[in-house]
Amino acid sequence: MTMPLQCRSFLVTPAIDPSRFDKAVEVGADMGLLDLEDGVPHALKSEARRLALSYLSSSRPRGPLCLRINSLRTDAGLRDVIALLDSNARLDALLLPKVESPAEIQQLDALLGDRFPELSLLAIIETARGVEAVDAIALSAPRLRGLIFGAADLSAQMGVSLSWEPMLYARSRIAMAAAIAGLNAIDSPYFGLGDLSGLEEETRKVGALGYTGKIVIHPDQVGVVHAALRPTPQMVAHARRVLAQAGDGKGGIHVVGGSMIGPPLVTVARRVLASVQHDEAMAPVHLRAGSGSGDS
C-alpha cells in the first residue's frame, strides 16, 4: 500500500478511541491519521499502541491510513516501531514527529528495512532545529513523501502566537524544502473548531504558499479544507485557455486573457487541471465510503 500522491486532508484520531477509527472514511477525508503521540496520555500509550496495531492488522475495509508514532528520541517511539515490526499491520504512511535532523528519518527507514517496502514516511517539522535543518531532512530518504508543519509546538518553543505573521517564515521554509525535494507540503491544524471561515482563509493562504494539504482535527473541517484547496472556476477556465494556446505547436510566449504566458505558467496550468482531476477522482470514493454510515 502506498500513500496517494496528493492528500488534501489528514483527519486525526487519538489511537485510544477505536470508535472513531473509521471516521475519516465516513466524512471523506483523504487520509485517516491514528495518533499515538500528543493525542494519547503517557499512561495510555501502551493500550493505544495495542488498539491501533490490532485495527491496522484486521481485515476491515477502510480508506488510506497513516500512523503517527512517538519521537524516536523517546522510549515510547522505539516501542512503537518494535511493535509495528512485530505486527501484521497494513498502513499507507508512518508519521514521525519532532524531526530535527535527516538522521532520524534515516534511522526509521533503516529500522523498517524491507518489512514495509511500500510504506511512505512523513516528517513533522515543529521545532526551531527542525526548521533550520529542513532542507537536509527533505532529502534524507527516498520513501519520505511529505513534510508536515507543526505550528503549535513551534509557537510554544518560540514563545510566540499561532497567528499568521510569526509562523510565516517557518511555513515558507518548509514549503520551499518540499518543492525542492518533490514532496508534499502539509500544513498544521487550525485549532479554532468553531471558526470555519478562519480555517478557510488560512487554508487558502497556505495553498498559495505551495501546501497541498492540511491536518484536520474535526470532521467539519474536512469539506472546508477541500473546498479551499480546490481551484476556482476562473482558475480552471484560465488554465484550459493557457493549455489550448500552448498546444498549438508553436511554443514560446502567448497572450491569454491579456497576460503574457510562457512555459512556467503552462506548468502551473497543468498543475491546476491535475488538481481538478484528482478532486473528481476522489469524489466517488468518498460518496461510496460515506453511504449508509451512521451518525457518530
Short mmCIF file of all heavy atoms in Angstrom, two decimals, residues 100-161:
data_model
loop_
_atom_site.label_atom_id
_atom_site.label_comp_id
_atom_site.label_asym_id
_atom_site.label_seq_id
_atom_site.Cartn_x
_atom_site.Cartn_y
_atom_site.Cartn_z
N GLU A 100 14.28 16.64 13.71
CA GLU A 100 15.24 17.74 13.77
C GLU A 100 16.49 17.50 12.94
O GLU A 100 17.35 18.38 12.83
CB GLU A 100 15.64 18.00 15.23
CG GLU A 100 14.48 18.49 16.08
CD GLU A 100 14.90 18.90 17.48
OE1 GLU A 100 15.97 18.42 17.94
OE2 GLU A 100 14.20 19.71 18.10
N SER A 101 16.61 16.30 12.35
CA SER A 101 17.79 16.01 11.54
C SER A 101 17.46 14.92 10.54
O SER A 101 16.56 14.09 10.79
CB SER A 101 18.96 15.57 12.41
OG SER A 101 18.74 14.25 12.90
N PRO A 102 18.19 14.85 9.42
CA PRO A 102 17.97 13.76 8.47
C PRO A 102 18.27 12.39 9.06
O PRO A 102 17.69 11.38 8.64
CB PRO A 102 18.92 14.10 7.31
CG PRO A 102 19.86 15.12 7.82
CD PRO A 102 19.18 15.82 8.93
N ALA A 103 19.13 12.34 10.07
CA ALA A 103 19.49 11.05 10.68
C ALA A 103 18.28 10.35 11.28
O ALA A 103 18.22 9.11 11.29
CB ALA A 103 20.56 11.26 11.74
N GLU A 104 17.30 11.11 11.78
CA GLU A 104 16.13 10.49 12.39
C GLU A 104 15.29 9.75 11.35
O GLU A 104 14.82 8.63 11.59
CB GLU A 104 15.28 11.55 13.09
CG GLU A 104 15.95 12.14 14.31
CD GLU A 104 15.14 13.28 14.88
OE1 GLU A 104 14.00 13.04 15.32
OE2 GLU A 104 15.65 14.43 14.90
N ILE A 105 15.12 10.36 10.18
CA ILE A 105 14.38 9.70 9.10
C ILE A 105 15.17 8.49 8.60
O ILE A 105 14.60 7.42 8.34
CB ILE A 105 14.12 10.68 7.94
CG1 ILE A 105 13.22 11.83 8.40
CG2 ILE A 105 13.50 9.97 6.74
CD1 ILE A 105 11.83 11.40 8.80
N GLN A 106 16.47 8.65 8.48
CA GLN A 106 17.30 7.54 8.01
C GLN A 106 17.29 6.39 9.01
O GLN A 106 17.29 5.21 8.62
CB GLN A 106 18.72 8.04 7.76
CG GLN A 106 18.80 9.00 6.57
CD GLN A 106 20.04 9.86 6.57
OE1 GLN A 106 20.85 9.83 7.51
NE2 GLN A 106 20.21 10.65 5.52
N GLN A 107 17.27 6.70 10.30
CA GLN A 107 17.20 5.66 11.33
C GLN A 107 15.88 4.90 11.22
O GLN A 107 15.86 3.66 11.26
CB GLN A 107 17.32 6.28 12.72
CG GLN A 107 17.22 5.25 13.85
CD GLN A 107 17.17 5.89 15.23
OE1 GLN A 107 17.00 7.10 15.35
NE2 GLN A 107 17.32 5.09 16.26
N LEU A 108 14.77 5.63 11.06
CA LEU A 108 13.47 4.97 10.94
C LEU A 108 13.42 4.12 9.67
O LEU A 108 12.93 2.98 9.69
CB LEU A 108 12.35 6.01 10.92
CG LEU A 108 10.93 5.48 10.78
CD1 LEU A 108 10.60 4.49 11.89
CD2 LEU A 108 9.93 6.64 10.77
N ASP A 109 13.95 4.65 8.60
CA ASP A 109 13.99 3.91 7.33
C ASP A 109 14.78 2.62 7.50
O ASP A 109 14.36 1.56 7.01
CB ASP A 109 14.61 4.81 6.25
CG ASP A 109 14.48 4.22 4.87
OD1 ASP A 109 13.44 3.62 4.56
OD2 ASP A 109 15.44 4.38 4.08
N ALA A 110 15.90 2.69 8.20
CA ALA A 110 16.73 1.50 8.42
C ALA A 110 16.03 0.49 9.32
O ALA A 110 16.10 -0.72 9.09
CB ALA A 110 18.07 1.91 9.02
N LEU A 111 15.33 0.97 10.34
CA LEU A 111 14.61 0.07 11.23
C LEU A 111 13.50 -0.68 10.50
O LEU A 111 13.27 -1.87 10.73
CB LEU A 111 14.02 0.85 12.41
CG LEU A 111 15.01 1.34 13.47
CD1 LEU A 111 14.32 2.29 14.44
CD2 LEU A 111 15.62 0.17 14.23
N LEU A 112 12.84 0.00 9.61
CA LEU A 112 11.76 -0.63 8.84
C LEU A 112 12.31 -1.64 7.85
O LEU A 112 11.70 -2.67 7.58
CB LEU A 112 10.93 0.43 8.11
CG LEU A 112 10.14 1.38 9.01
CD1 LEU A 112 9.54 2.51 8.17
CD2 LEU A 112 9.06 0.64 9.77
N GLY A 113 13.48 -1.33 7.29
CA GLY A 113 14.13 -2.23 6.35
C GLY A 113 13.21 -2.65 5.23
O GLY A 113 12.52 -1.82 4.63
N ASP A 114 13.18 -3.95 4.96
CA ASP A 114 12.32 -4.49 3.90
C ASP A 114 10.97 -4.95 4.43
O ASP A 114 10.17 -5.52 3.68
CB ASP A 114 13.02 -5.67 3.21
CG ASP A 114 14.30 -5.26 2.52
OD1 ASP A 114 14.37 -4.11 2.06
OD2 ASP A 114 15.23 -6.09 2.44
N ARG A 115 10.71 -4.69 5.71
CA ARG A 115 9.48 -5.19 6.32
C ARG A 115 8.24 -4.52 5.71
O ARG A 115 7.21 -5.15 5.53
CB ARG A 115 9.54 -4.93 7.83
CG ARG A 115 8.34 -5.42 8.60
CD ARG A 115 8.24 -6.93 8.64
NE ARG A 115 7.12 -7.35 9.46
CZ ARG A 115 5.84 -7.31 9.09
NH1 ARG A 115 5.54 -6.88 7.87
NH2 ARG A 115 4.89 -7.69 9.91
N PHE A 116 8.34 -3.24 5.43
CA PHE A 116 7.23 -2.49 4.83
C PHE A 116 7.77 -1.74 3.61
O PHE A 116 7.93 -0.52 3.65
CB PHE A 116 6.62 -1.51 5.83
CG PHE A 116 5.99 -2.17 7.03
CD1 PHE A 116 6.72 -2.35 8.20
CD2 PHE A 116 4.68 -2.58 6.99
CE1 PHE A 116 6.15 -2.95 9.31
CE2 PHE A 116 4.09 -3.18 8.09
CZ PHE A 116 4.83 -3.38 9.25
N PRO A 117 8.03 -2.43 2.51
CA PRO A 117 8.73 -1.81 1.38
C PRO A 117 7.99 -0.66 0.72
O PRO A 117 8.62 0.23 0.14
CB PRO A 117 8.92 -2.98 0.40
CG PRO A 117 7.86 -3.97 0.77
CD PRO A 117 7.70 -3.84 2.26
N GLU A 118 6.66 -0.65 0.78
CA GLU A 118 5.90 0.39 0.11
C GLU A 118 5.38 1.47 1.06
O GLU A 118 4.63 2.36 0.66
CB GLU A 118 4.72 -0.22 -0.66
CG GLU A 118 5.16 -1.16 -1.77
CD GLU A 118 3.98 -1.69 -2.56
OE1 GLU A 118 2.83 -1.46 -2.14
OE2 GLU A 118 4.21 -2.31 -3.61
N LEU A 119 5.77 1.41 2.31
CA LEU A 119 5.30 2.36 3.30
C LEU A 119 5.93 3.73 3.09
O LEU A 119 7.15 3.85 2.99
CB LEU A 119 5.63 1.84 4.70
CG LEU A 119 5.14 2.67 5.89
CD1 LEU A 119 3.62 2.73 5.92
CD2 LEU A 119 5.69 2.09 7.19
N SER A 120 5.10 4.76 3.02
CA SER A 120 5.59 6.13 2.88
C SER A 120 5.91 6.71 4.26
O SER A 120 5.23 6.39 5.24
CB SER A 120 4.55 7.01 2.20
OG SER A 120 4.26 6.55 0.90
N LEU A 121 6.91 7.55 4.33
CA LEU A 121 7.25 8.25 5.56
C LEU A 121 6.88 9.72 5.43
O LEU A 121 7.00 10.33 4.36
CB LEU A 121 8.74 8.12 5.86
CG LEU A 121 9.29 6.71 6.08
CD1 LEU A 121 10.78 6.77 6.42
CD2 LEU A 121 8.52 5.99 7.18
N LEU A 122 6.44 10.29 6.55
CA LEU A 122 6.13 11.71 6.65
C LEU A 122 6.87 12.25 7.86
O LEU A 122 6.98 11.57 8.88
CB LEU A 122 4.63 11.94 6.81
CG LEU A 122 3.72 11.41 5.69
CD1 LEU A 122 2.26 11.51 6.12
CD2 LEU A 122 3.96 12.18 4.41
N ALA A 123 7.36 13.48 7.76
CA ALA A 123 8.10 14.09 8.86
C ALA A 123 7.40 15.37 9.31
O ALA A 123 7.08 16.22 8.48
CB ALA A 123 9.54 14.41 8.43
N ILE A 124 7.19 15.49 10.62
CA ILE A 124 6.65 16.74 11.15
C ILE A 124 7.82 17.64 11.55
O ILE A 124 8.69 17.25 12.33
CB ILE A 124 5.75 16.52 12.38
CG1 ILE A 124 4.65 15.51 12.09
CG2 ILE A 124 5.11 17.86 12.79
CD1 ILE A 124 3.68 15.33 13.24
N ILE A 125 7.80 18.84 11.01
CA ILE A 125 8.81 19.85 11.36
C ILE A 125 8.12 20.82 12.32
O ILE A 125 7.25 21.60 11.93
CB ILE A 125 9.30 20.59 10.10
CG1 ILE A 125 9.74 19.59 9.02
CG2 ILE A 125 10.43 21.55 10.47
CD1 ILE A 125 10.84 18.65 9.43
N GLU A 126 8.52 20.76 13.60
CA GLU A 126 7.79 21.53 14.61
C GLU A 126 8.69 22.12 15.69
O GLU A 126 8.21 22.50 16.76
CB GLU A 126 6.70 20.66 15.23
CG GLU A 126 7.16 19.31 15.73
CD GLU A 126 5.99 18.39 16.13
OE1 GLU A 126 4.94 18.92 16.54
OE2 GLU A 126 6.16 17.17 16.03
N THR A 127 9.99 22.19 15.41
CA THR A 127 10.92 22.85 16.31
C THR A 127 11.83 23.77 15.51
O THR A 127 11.95 23.63 14.29
CB THR A 127 11.79 21.83 17.07
OG1 THR A 127 12.68 21.18 16.12
CG2 THR A 127 10.95 20.77 17.77
N ALA A 128 12.48 24.68 16.22
CA ALA A 128 13.40 25.59 15.53
C ALA A 128 14.54 24.82 14.87
O ALA A 128 14.96 25.15 13.75
CB ALA A 128 13.95 26.62 16.52
N ARG A 129 15.05 23.79 15.53
CA ARG A 129 16.10 22.96 14.93
C ARG A 129 15.60 22.27 13.66
O ARG A 129 16.32 22.13 12.68
CB ARG A 129 16.61 21.92 15.93
CG ARG A 129 17.46 22.47 17.06
CD ARG A 129 17.99 21.34 17.92
NE ARG A 129 18.73 21.83 19.05
CZ ARG A 129 20.03 22.17 19.03
NH1 ARG A 129 20.70 22.04 17.89
NH2 ARG A 129 20.64 22.61 20.11
N GLY A 130 14.37 21.80 13.71
CA GLY A 130 13.80 21.15 12.54
C GLY A 130 13.67 22.09 11.36
O GLY A 130 13.98 21.73 10.22
N VAL A 131 13.21 23.31 11.62
CA VAL A 131 13.10 24.30 10.54
C VAL A 131 14.47 24.60 9.96
O VAL A 131 14.65 24.70 8.74
CB VAL A 131 12.42 25.58 11.06
CG1 VAL A 131 12.45 26.68 9.99
CG2 VAL A 131 10.98 25.30 11.48
N GLU A 132 15.46 24.74 10.82
CA GLU A 132 16.82 25.05 10.36
C GLU A 132 17.38 23.94 9.49
O GLU A 132 18.13 24.18 8.54
CB GLU A 132 17.73 25.29 11.57
CG GLU A 132 19.14 25.74 11.22
CD GLU A 132 19.19 27.11 10.57
OE1 GLU A 132 18.22 27.89 10.74
OE2 GLU A 132 20.20 27.40 9.89
N ALA A 133 17.03 22.68 9.79
CA ALA A 133 17.58 21.53 9.06
C ALA A 133 16.64 20.99 7.99
O ALA A 133 16.90 19.92 7.42
CB ALA A 133 17.91 20.40 10.06
N VAL A 134 15.56 21.71 7.68
CA VAL A 134 14.51 21.14 6.85
C VAL A 134 14.98 20.79 5.44
O VAL A 134 14.50 19.82 4.84
CB VAL A 134 13.27 22.06 6.82
CG1 VAL A 134 13.56 23.35 6.06
CG2 VAL A 134 12.06 21.34 6.24
N ASP A 135 15.90 21.54 4.88
CA ASP A 135 16.38 21.23 3.53
C ASP A 135 17.04 19.85 3.49
O ASP A 135 16.78 19.06 2.57
CB ASP A 135 17.37 22.30 3.05
CG ASP A 135 16.72 23.67 2.95
OD1 ASP A 135 15.55 23.74 2.53
OD2 ASP A 135 17.38 24.67 3.31
N ALA A 136 17.87 19.55 4.48
CA ALA A 136 18.53 18.24 4.54
C ALA A 136 17.53 17.15 4.88
O ALA A 136 17.61 16.03 4.35
CB ALA A 136 19.67 18.27 5.55
N ILE A 137 16.59 17.44 5.77
CA ILE A 137 15.57 16.45 6.13
C ILE A 137 14.77 16.05 4.90
O ILE A 137 14.48 14.87 4.69
CB ILE A 137 14.64 17.02 7.23
CG1 ILE A 137 15.41 17.18 8.54
CG2 ILE A 137 13.42 16.11 7.43
CD1 ILE A 137 14.66 17.96 9.60
N ALA A 138 14.42 17.02 4.07
CA ALA A 138 13.58 16.75 2.90
C ALA A 138 14.25 15.78 1.93
O ALA A 138 13.56 15.08 1.19
CB ALA A 138 13.25 18.06 2.19
N LEU A 139 15.56 15.73 1.93
CA LEU A 139 16.30 14.87 1.00
C LEU A 139 16.88 13.63 1.69
O LEU A 139 17.75 12.97 1.13
CB LEU A 139 17.44 15.68 0.36
CG LEU A 139 17.01 16.88 -0.49
CD1 LEU A 139 18.21 17.76 -0.82
CD2 LEU A 139 16.30 16.42 -1.75
N SER A 140 16.36 13.29 2.87
CA SER A 140 17.01 12.28 3.71
C SER A 140 16.78 10.84 3.28
O SER A 140 17.63 9.99 3.54
CB SER A 140 16.56 12.45 5.16
OG SER A 140 15.15 12.32 5.26
N ALA A 141 15.63 10.54 2.66
CA ALA A 141 15.33 9.13 2.33
C ALA A 141 14.35 9.08 1.16
O ALA A 141 13.43 9.89 1.08
CB ALA A 141 14.74 8.41 3.54
N PRO A 142 14.51 8.10 0.25
CA PRO A 142 13.61 8.00 -0.91
C PRO A 142 12.15 7.79 -0.54
O PRO A 142 11.27 8.23 -1.26
CB PRO A 142 14.17 6.79 -1.67
CG PRO A 142 15.60 6.69 -1.26
CD PRO A 142 15.62 7.14 0.17
N ARG A 143 11.89 7.10 0.58
CA ARG A 143 10.49 6.83 0.91
C ARG A 143 9.82 7.98 1.67
O ARG A 143 8.64 7.91 1.99
CB ARG A 143 10.36 5.52 1.68
CG ARG A 143 10.82 5.55 3.10
CD ARG A 143 10.27 4.31 3.84
NE ARG A 143 11.15 3.16 3.70
CZ ARG A 143 10.80 1.93 4.06
NH1 ARG A 143 9.60 1.70 4.56
NH2 ARG A 143 11.64 0.92 3.93
N LEU A 144 10.56 9.06 1.95
CA LEU A 144 9.95 10.24 2.54
C LEU A 144 9.07 10.92 1.48
O LEU A 144 9.55 11.27 0.41
CB LEU A 144 11.02 11.21 3.03
CG LEU A 144 10.51 12.46 3.76
CD1 LEU A 144 9.83 12.08 5.08
CD2 LEU A 144 11.65 13.45 4.01
N ARG A 145 7.79 11.09 1.79
CA ARG A 145 6.84 11.61 0.81
C ARG A 145 6.28 12.98 1.16
O ARG A 145 5.64 13.61 0.32
CB ARG A 145 5.67 10.62 0.65
CG ARG A 145 6.07 9.26 0.12
CD ARG A 145 6.49 9.32 -1.33
NE ARG A 145 5.41 9.77 -2.18
CZ ARG A 145 4.43 9.01 -2.65
NH1 ARG A 145 4.38 7.72 -2.33
NH2 ARG A 145 3.50 9.51 -3.43
N GLY A 146 6.47 13.44 2.39
CA GLY A 146 5.88 14.73 2.74
C GLY A 146 6.47 15.33 4.00
O GLY A 146 7.00 14.63 4.86
N LEU A 147 6.39 16.66 4.07
CA LEU A 147 6.78 17.41 5.25
C LEU A 147 5.52 18.05 5.83
O LEU A 147 4.72 18.65 5.10
CB LEU A 147 7.79 18.51 4.91
CG LEU A 147 9.10 18.07 4.27
CD1 LEU A 147 9.93 19.30 3.91
CD2 LEU A 147 9.89 17.15 5.19
N ILE A 148 5.35 17.92 7.13
CA ILE A 148 4.19 18.49 7.81
C ILE A 148 4.67 19.60 8.74
O ILE A 148 5.62 19.41 9.51
CB ILE A 148 3.44 17.42 8.61
CG1 ILE A 148 2.90 16.34 7.66
CG2 ILE A 148 2.30 18.03 9.43
CD1 ILE A 148 2.26 15.16 8.36
N PHE A 149 4.02 20.75 8.66
CA PHE A 149 4.36 21.86 9.54
C PHE A 149 3.59 21.72 10.85
O PHE A 149 2.37 21.62 10.85
CB PHE A 149 4.02 23.19 8.87
CG PHE A 149 4.23 24.39 9.75
CD1 PHE A 149 5.35 24.50 10.54
CD2 PHE A 149 3.28 25.41 9.78
CE1 PHE A 149 5.55 25.61 11.35
CE2 PHE A 149 3.47 26.52 10.58
CZ PHE A 149 4.60 26.63 11.38
N GLY A 150 4.31 21.70 11.98
CA GLY A 150 3.69 21.63 13.29
C GLY A 150 3.77 22.98 13.99
O GLY A 150 4.74 23.26 14.70
N ALA A 151 2.76 23.81 13.77
CA ALA A 151 2.80 25.18 14.27
C ALA A 151 2.71 25.27 15.78
O ALA A 151 3.36 26.12 16.40
CB ALA A 151 1.68 25.99 13.63
N ALA A 152 1.90 24.41 16.41
CA ALA A 152 1.66 24.54 17.85
C ALA A 152 2.94 24.37 18.66
O ALA A 152 3.25 25.19 19.53
CB ALA A 152 0.60 23.54 18.29
N ASP A 153 3.69 23.31 18.37
CA ASP A 153 4.93 23.08 19.13
C ASP A 153 5.95 24.17 18.86
O ASP A 153 6.66 24.61 19.77
CB ASP A 153 5.51 21.72 18.76
CG ASP A 153 4.84 20.57 19.52
OD1 ASP A 153 3.62 20.43 19.39
OD2 ASP A 153 5.55 19.85 20.22
N LEU A 154 6.03 24.63 17.60
CA LEU A 154 7.00 25.67 17.28
C LEU A 154 6.65 26.97 17.99
O LEU A 154 7.53 27.65 18.54
CB LEU A 154 7.06 25.89 15.77
CG LEU A 154 8.08 26.94 15.31
CD1 LEU A 154 9.49 26.52 15.67
CD2 LEU A 154 7.96 27.17 13.81
N SER A 155 5.37 27.34 18.00
CA SER A 155 4.98 28.59 18.66
C SER A 155 5.25 28.51 20.16
O SER A 155 5.68 29.49 20.77
CB SER A 155 3.51 28.90 18.40
OG SER A 155 2.66 27.98 19.06
N ALA A 156 5.03 27.32 20.75
CA ALA A 156 5.30 27.16 22.18
C ALA A 156 6.79 27.29 22.48
O ALA A 156 7.19 27.94 23.46
CB ALA A 156 4.78 25.81 22.65
N GLN A 157 7.61 26.68 21.63
CA GLN A 157 9.06 26.76 21.84
C GLN A 157 9.56 28.20 21.71
O GLN A 157 10.41 28.64 22.49
CB GLN A 157 9.79 25.87 20.84
CG GLN A 157 11.30 25.88 21.03
CD GLN A 157 12.05 25.15 19.92
OE1 GLN A 157 11.53 24.98 18.83
NE2 GLN A 157 13.26 24.71 20.22
N MET A 158 9.02 28.92 20.74
CA MET A 158 9.49 30.28 20.48
C MET A 158 8.84 31.32 21.37
O MET A 158 9.31 32.46 21.46
CB MET A 158 9.23 30.64 19.01
CG MET A 158 10.02 29.80 18.03
SD MET A 158 9.67 30.27 16.32
CE MET A 158 10.28 31.96 16.29
N GLY A 159 7.74 30.95 22.03
CA GLY A 159 7.05 31.89 22.88
C GLY A 159 6.31 32.95 22.09
O GLY A 159 6.21 34.11 22.53
N VAL A 160 5.78 32.56 20.93
CA VAL A 160 5.03 33.49 20.08
C VAL A 160 3.66 32.91 19.80
O VAL A 160 3.39 31.75 20.08
CB VAL A 160 5.77 33.77 18.75
CG1 VAL A 160 7.14 34.38 19.01
CG2 VAL A 160 5.90 32.48 17.92
N SER A 161 2.78 33.74 19.24
CA SER A 161 1.42 33.28 18.98
C SER A 161 1.37 32.42 17.73
O SER A 161 2.30 32.37 16.93
CB SER A 161 0.49 34.49 18.82
OG SER A 161 0.66 35.08 17.55
#
